[in-house]
């Protein structure tokens, strides 16, 4: 029996390099968020989480922006390992 493995996709703010590196090493497909410049590209349900340095970096009040269904995680004060654990917990709750 063949098992298909799909990489889990997440979005991480570009300034969070240690988080990007760690999550990639854990097998995640990481899409880089450049402040709000490419936020409008995150519109599907394909992403499990959005990791930002602080919620002030994520402008959800833009009238052209539709809030994605992904969990938004504020990395401030958390290690990459803690963020990874939160992503896993949220993914397990959703399955």
């Amino acid at each position: 029996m063949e098992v298909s493995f799909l990489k889990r996709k997440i979005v991480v703010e570009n300034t969070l390099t240690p988080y990007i590196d760690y999550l990639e090493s854990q097998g995640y497909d990481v899409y880089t968020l450049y402040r709000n410049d490419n936020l409008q590209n995150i519109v599907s349900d394909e992403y499990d989480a959005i990791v930002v340095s602080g919620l002030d970096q994520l402008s959800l009040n833009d009238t052209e922006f539709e809030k994605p269904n992904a969990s938004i995680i504020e990395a401030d004060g958390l290690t990459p390992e803690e963020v990874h654990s939160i992503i896993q917990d949220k993914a397990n709750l959703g399955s």
Side-chain angles (χ1 to χ4, degrees):
M1 179 164 144
E2 186 178 319
V3 178
S4 174
F5 176 74
L6 294 174
K7 276 188 162 185
R8 300 198 78 127
K9 294 182 177 184
I10 56 171
V11 179
V12 181
E13 185 182 327
N14 68 308
T15 60
L16 300 173
T17 307
Y19 298 82
I20 293 170
D21 294 343
Y22 181 77
L23 293 166
E24 285 178 339
S25 78
Q26 297 300 306
Y28 286 88
D29 184 9
V30 178
Y31 178 81
T32 305
L33 174 66
Y34 294 93
R35 299 283 175 164
N36 289 325
D37 292 346
N38 58 341
L39 190 58
Q40 69 279 359
N41 297 335
I42 307 164
V43 293
S44 74
D45 294 338
E46 67 183 307
Y47 298 102
D48 292 331
I50 300 171
V51 182
V52 294
S53 58
L55 294 179
D56 59 325
Q57 300 302 323
L58 194 64
S59 175
L60 299 177
N61 298 326
D62 187 338
T63 54
E64 297 176 26
F65 173 66
E66 217 173 292
K67 184 177 179 281
N69 291 327
S71 298
I72 298 172
I73 300 169
E74 187 174 12
D76 187 38
L78 301 174
T79 66
E81 293 81 3
E82 289 169 326
V83 168
H84 178 235
S85 179
I86 292 169
I87 293 168
Q88 285 185 310
D89 290 346
K90 289 184 182 291
N92 290 336
L93 288 174
S95 53

